[in-house]
Amino acid sequence: MSAAPAIRDLTAADAAALLPLLDTLGYPTDAPTLAARLTTMLAQDPSARMIGVEMEGALVGFACLHETPVPHRPTAVGRITAIAVLPGTRGTGAGRALVEAAEAHFVARGIARLEVTSGDAHAAAHPFYRHLGYADQGIRFAKALG
């Protein structure tokens, strides 16, 4: 692929195209389930935004953006809660385009801090984030409920 990455907003209508990307993250699902999740997320969270990156007309990556108001910072915190590019497009600028679009989105919204969620299972992506100027800060803990 040689075309420059192009960013666009994604909706539930993009569910089928997102399936291979969720697979790369280890979250396989089906298109109707994903479409329902996206519809709910975008309707219930006014700060949520899904962006995709296309190359030569094909969706090759996505990022899920959220804002979280917190009492200990002067602005909400911007978060990339999920991000993936197809393995065959790594190194083409698609991932960088997604992160830069996310940064521009949050700057335009007056957000002063951006965090990227990336667990140990995705350690291969961590050098990419460091290369873009992100630093390791703290440890995230999680617990399954129910």
mmCIF file of all heavy atoms in Angstrom, residues 20-47:
data_model
loop_
_atom_site.group_PDB
_atom_site.id
_atom_site.type_symbol
_atom_site.label_atom_id
_atom_site.label_comp_id
_atom_site.label_asym_id
_atom_site.label_seq_id
_atom_site.Cartn_x
_atom_site.Cartn_y
_atom_site.Cartn_z
ATOM 1 N N PRO A 20 -11.492 -7.627 11.637
ATOM 2 C CA PRO A 20 -10.102 -8.099 11.621
ATOM 3 C C PRO A 20 -9.198 -7.295 12.562
ATOM 4 O O PRO A 20 -8.232 -7.825 13.100
ATOM 5 C CB PRO A 20 -9.654 -7.921 10.170
ATOM 6 C CG PRO A 20 -10.853 -7.573 9.382
ATOM 7 C CD PRO A 20 -11.948 -7.197 10.324
ATOM 8 N N LEU A 21 -9.539 -6.036 12.767
ATOM 9 C CA LEU A 21 -8.742 -5.206 13.669
ATOM 10 C C LEU A 21 -8.949 -5.616 15.122
ATOM 11 O O LEU A 21 -7.986 -5.680 15.900
ATOM 12 C CB LEU A 21 -9.080 -3.724 13.456
ATOM 13 C CG LEU A 21 -8.594 -3.195 12.109
ATOM 14 C CD1 LEU A 21 -9.393 -1.994 11.676
ATOM 15 C CD2 LEU A 21 -7.113 -2.892 12.181
ATOM 16 N N LEU A 22 -10.183 -5.917 15.499
ATOM 17 C CA LEU A 22 -10.428 -6.408 16.854
ATOM 18 C C LEU A 22 -9.776 -7.770 17.059
ATOM 19 O O LEU A 22 -9.295 -8.074 18.153
ATOM 20 C CB LEU A 22 -11.924 -6.459 17.145
ATOM 21 C CG LEU A 22 -12.579 -5.099 17.366
ATOM 22 C CD1 LEU A 22 -14.074 -5.258 17.575
ATOM 23 C CD2 LEU A 22 -11.957 -4.369 18.531
ATOM 24 N N ASP A 23 -9.749 -8.580 16.014
ATOM 25 C CA ASP A 23 -9.067 -9.867 16.097
ATOM 26 C C ASP A 23 -7.592 -9.679 16.439
ATOM 27 O O ASP A 23 -7.039 -10.445 17.241
ATOM 28 C CB ASP A 23 -9.187 -10.648 14.789
ATOM 29 C CG ASP A 23 -10.548 -11.291 14.583
ATOM 30 O OD1 ASP A 23 -11.345 -11.367 15.547
ATOM 31 O OD2 ASP A 23 -10.816 -11.713 13.440
ATOM 32 N N THR A 24 -6.948 -8.671 15.836
ATOM 33 C CA THR A 24 -5.522 -8.447 16.120
ATOM 34 C C THR A 24 -5.289 -8.081 17.583
ATOM 35 O O THR A 24 -4.206 -8.307 18.113
ATOM 36 C CB THR A 24 -4.908 -7.348 15.227
ATOM 37 O OG1 THR A 24 -5.444 -6.081 15.584
ATOM 38 C CG2 THR A 24 -5.101 -7.634 13.756
ATOM 39 N N LEU A 25 -6.300 -7.518 18.225
ATOM 40 C CA LEU A 25 -6.186 -7.162 19.638
ATOM 41 C C LEU A 25 -6.560 -8.321 20.561
ATOM 42 O O LEU A 25 -6.395 -8.226 21.777
ATOM 43 C CB LEU A 25 -7.081 -5.954 19.957
ATOM 44 C CG LEU A 25 -6.697 -4.639 19.308
ATOM 45 C CD1 LEU A 25 -7.744 -3.573 19.627
ATOM 46 C CD2 LEU A 25 -5.306 -4.197 19.758
ATOM 47 N N GLY A 26 -7.088 -9.386 19.991
ATOM 48 C CA GLY A 26 -7.500 -10.525 20.799
ATOM 49 C C GLY A 26 -8.923 -10.440 21.287
ATOM 50 O O GLY A 26 -9.298 -11.080 22.271
ATOM 51 N N TYR A 27 -9.751 -9.656 20.587
ATOM 52 C CA TYR A 27 -11.157 -9.490 20.951
ATOM 53 C C TYR A 27 -12.058 -9.859 19.784
ATOM 54 O O TYR A 27 -12.762 -9.011 19.230
ATOM 55 C CB TYR A 27 -11.432 -8.051 21.382
ATOM 56 C CG TYR A 27 -10.625 -7.614 22.574
ATOM 57 C CD1 TYR A 27 -9.624 -6.663 22.434
ATOM 58 C CD2 TYR A 27 -10.870 -8.147 23.830
ATOM 59 C CE1 TYR A 27 -8.878 -6.256 23.535
ATOM 60 C CE2 TYR A 27 -10.131 -7.745 24.932
ATOM 61 C CZ TYR A 27 -9.131 -6.805 24.775
ATOM 62 O OH TYR A 27 -8.392 -6.411 25.867
ATOM 63 N N PRO A 28 -12.078 -11.131 19.383
ATOM 64 C CA PRO A 28 -12.937 -11.511 18.253
ATOM 65 C C PRO A 28 -14.416 -11.366 18.619
ATOM 66 O O PRO A 28 -14.812 -11.566 19.770
ATOM 67 C CB PRO A 28 -12.569 -12.979 18.007
ATOM 68 C CG PRO A 28 -12.045 -13.462 19.316
ATOM 69 C CD PRO A 28 -11.384 -12.272 19.965
ATOM 70 N N THR A 29 -15.192 -10.976 17.645
ATOM 71 C CA THR A 29 -16.639 -10.858 17.816
ATOM 72 C C THR A 29 -17.274 -10.960 16.440
ATOM 73 O O THR A 29 -16.594 -11.230 15.452
ATOM 74 C CB THR A 29 -17.010 -9.542 18.538
ATOM 75 O OG1 THR A 29 -18.393 -9.565 18.895
ATOM 76 C CG2 THR A 29 -16.704 -8.317 17.694
ATOM 77 N N ASP A 30 -18.563 -10.731 16.356
ATOM 78 C CA ASP A 30 -19.247 -10.741 15.070
ATOM 79 C C ASP A 30 -19.782 -9.335 14.789
ATOM 80 O O ASP A 30 -19.885 -8.504 15.697
ATOM 81 C CB ASP A 30 -20.375 -11.778 15.055
ATOM 82 C CG ASP A 30 -21.402 -11.523 16.139
ATOM 83 O OD1 ASP A 30 -22.195 -10.571 16.002
ATOM 84 O OD2 ASP A 30 -21.403 -12.261 17.141
ATOM 85 N N ALA A 31 -20.123 -9.085 13.545
ATOM 86 C CA ALA A 31 -20.532 -7.743 13.125
ATOM 87 C C ALA A 31 -21.785 -7.240 13.839
ATOM 88 O O ALA A 31 -21.807 -6.087 14.285
ATOM 89 C CB ALA A 31 -20.706 -7.684 11.609
ATOM 90 N N PRO A 32 -22.848 -8.042 13.987
ATOM 91 C CA PRO A 32 -24.026 -7.513 14.685
ATOM 92 C C PRO A 32 -23.736 -7.135 16.145
ATOM 93 O O PRO A 32 -24.215 -6.116 16.629
ATOM 94 C CB PRO A 32 -25.044 -8.658 14.595
ATOM 95 C CG PRO A 32 -24.627 -9.454 13.409
ATOM 96 C CD PRO A 32 -23.126 -9.359 13.384
ATOM 97 N N THR A 33 -22.944 -7.947 16.836
ATOM 98 C CA THR A 33 -22.603 -7.639 18.225
ATOM 99 C C THR A 33 -21.787 -6.355 18.298
ATOM 100 O O THR A 33 -22.059 -5.478 19.129
ATOM 101 C CB THR A 33 -21.820 -8.805 18.857
ATOM 102 O OG1 THR A 33 -22.638 -9.971 18.832
ATOM 103 C CG2 THR A 33 -21.409 -8.495 20.289
ATOM 104 N N LEU A 34 -20.799 -6.237 17.423
ATOM 105 C CA LEU A 34 -19.964 -5.031 17.432
ATOM 106 C C LEU A 34 -20.779 -3.800 17.056
ATOM 107 O O LEU A 34 -20.629 -2.745 17.674
ATOM 108 C CB LEU A 34 -18.775 -5.199 16.485
ATOM 109 C CG LEU A 34 -17.823 -4.007 16.427
ATOM 110 C CD1 LEU A 34 -17.284 -3.646 17.808
ATOM 111 C CD2 LEU A 34 -16.688 -4.291 15.460
ATOM 112 N N ALA A 35 -21.647 -3.913 16.074
ATOM 113 C CA ALA A 35 -22.489 -2.772 15.679
ATOM 114 C C ALA A 35 -23.335 -2.311 16.864
ATOM 115 O O ALA A 35 -23.472 -1.112 17.105
ATOM 116 C CB ALA A 35 -23.373 -3.146 14.493
ATOM 117 N N ALA A 36 -23.892 -3.262 17.608
ATOM 118 C CA ALA A 36 -24.706 -2.907 18.777
ATOM 119 C C ALA A 36 -23.858 -2.221 19.845
ATOM 120 O O ALA A 36 -24.282 -1.224 20.451
ATOM 121 C CB ALA A 36 -25.380 -4.151 19.348
ATOM 122 N N ARG A 37 -22.651 -2.720 20.077
ATOM 123 C CA ARG A 37 -21.753 -2.098 21.061
ATOM 124 C C ARG A 37 -21.401 -0.660 20.653
ATOM 125 O O ARG A 37 -21.400 0.245 21.487
ATOM 126 C CB ARG A 37 -20.472 -2.911 21.202
ATOM 127 C CG ARG A 37 -20.636 -4.223 21.905
ATOM 128 C CD ARG A 37 -19.315 -4.961 21.913
ATOM 129 N NE ARG A 37 -19.447 -6.297 22.440
ATOM 130 C CZ ARG A 37 -18.531 -7.236 22.292
ATOM 131 N NH1 ARG A 37 -17.405 -6.978 21.622
ATOM 132 N NH2 ARG A 37 -18.712 -8.436 22.806
ATOM 133 N N LEU A 38 -21.087 -0.485 19.391
ATOM 134 C CA LEU A 38 -20.720 0.856 18.917
ATOM 135 C C LEU A 38 -21.901 1.814 19.015
ATOM 136 O O LEU A 38 -21.737 2.965 19.425
ATOM 137 C CB LEU A 38 -20.207 0.788 17.479
ATOM 138 C CG LEU A 38 -18.869 0.089 17.288
ATOM 139 C CD1 LEU A 38 -18.554 -0.045 15.804
ATOM 140 C CD2 LEU A 38 -17.758 0.815 18.017
ATOM 141 N N THR A 39 -23.078 1.345 18.644
ATOM 142 C CA THR A 39 -24.274 2.182 18.742
ATOM 143 C C THR A 39 -24.489 2.631 20.177
ATOM 144 O O THR A 39 -24.720 3.812 20.444
ATOM 145 C CB THR A 39 -25.502 1.424 18.208
ATOM 146 O OG1 THR A 39 -25.278 1.133 16.827
ATOM 147 C CG2 THR A 39 -26.771 2.239 18.365
ATOM 148 N N THR A 40 -24.403 1.696 21.108
ATOM 149 C CA THR A 40 -24.595 2.017 22.523
ATOM 150 C C THR A 40 -23.518 2.971 23.019
ATOM 151 O O THR A 40 -23.813 3.976 23.668
ATOM 152 C CB THR A 40 -24.598 0.726 23.367
ATOM 153 O OG1 THR A 40 -25.680 -0.095 22.928
ATOM 154 C CG2 THR A 40 -24.744 1.025 24.839
ATOM 155 N N MET A 41 -22.254 2.661 22.727
ATOM 156 C CA MET A 41 -21.153 3.497 23.197
ATOM 157 C C MET A 41 -21.289 4.933 22.683
ATOM 158 O O MET A 41 -21.184 5.888 23.458
ATOM 159 C CB MET A 41 -19.811 2.916 22.746
ATOM 160 C CG MET A 41 -18.605 3.740 23.189
ATOM 161 S SD MET A 41 -17.066 3.177 22.449
ATOM 162 C CE MET A 41 -17.231 3.808 20.774
ATOM 163 N N LEU A 42 -21.534 5.078 21.405
ATOM 164 C CA LEU A 42 -21.601 6.421 20.823
ATOM 165 C C LEU A 42 -22.838 7.186 21.296
ATOM 166 O O LEU A 42 -22.808 8.413 21.374
ATOM 167 C CB LEU A 42 -21.543 6.331 19.300
ATOM 168 C CG LEU A 42 -20.205 5.810 18.749
ATOM 169 C CD1 LEU A 42 -20.308 5.533 17.249
ATOM 170 C CD2 LEU A 42 -19.066 6.761 19.047
ATOM 171 N N ALA A 43 -23.904 6.467 21.642
ATOM 172 C CA ALA A 43 -25.115 7.124 22.134
ATOM 173 C C ALA A 43 -25.004 7.495 23.609
ATOM 174 O O ALA A 43 -25.499 8.542 24.025
ATOM 175 C CB ALA A 43 -26.327 6.209 21.936
ATOM 176 N N GLN A 44 -24.347 6.660 24.393
ATOM 177 C CA GLN A 44 -24.295 6.882 25.837
ATOM 178 C C GLN A 44 -23.131 7.748 26.292
ATOM 179 O O GLN A 44 -23.181 8.318 27.382
ATOM 180 C CB GLN A 44 -24.251 5.543 26.582
ATOM 181 C CG GLN A 44 -25.541 4.781 26.479
ATOM 182 C CD GLN A 44 -25.500 3.473 27.270
ATOM 183 O OE1 GLN A 44 -24.486 3.077 27.831
ATOM 184 N NE2 GLN A 44 -26.629 2.801 27.301
ATOM 185 N N ASP A 45 -22.078 7.829 25.516
ATOM 186 C CA ASP A 45 -20.908 8.611 25.913
ATOM 187 C C ASP A 45 -20.689 9.732 24.899
ATOM 188 O O ASP A 45 -20.150 9.497 23.829
ATOM 189 C CB ASP A 45 -19.678 7.716 25.994
ATOM 190 C CG ASP A 45 -18.419 8.466 26.425
ATOM 191 O OD1 ASP A 45 -18.454 9.707 26.569
ATOM 192 O OD2 ASP A 45 -17.383 7.804 26.603
ATOM 193 N N PRO A 46 -21.110 10.945 25.239
ATOM 194 C CA PRO A 46 -20.963 12.039 24.274
ATOM 195 C C PRO A 46 -19.506 12.365 23.929
ATOM 196 O O PRO A 46 -19.252 12.996 22.913
ATOM 197 C CB PRO A 46 -21.652 13.221 24.961
ATOM 198 C CG PRO A 46 -21.787 12.849 26.386
ATOM 199 C CD PRO A 46 -21.739 11.358 26.483
ATOM 200 N N SER A 47 -18.561 11.912 24.755
ATOM 201 C CA SER A 47 -17.155 12.172 24.443
ATOM 202 C C SER A 47 -16.557 11.096 23.546
ATOM 203 O O SER A 47 -15.458 11.269 23.027
ATOM 204 C CB SER A 47 -16.326 12.262 25.730
ATOM 205 O OG SER A 47 -16.022 10.974 26.260
#
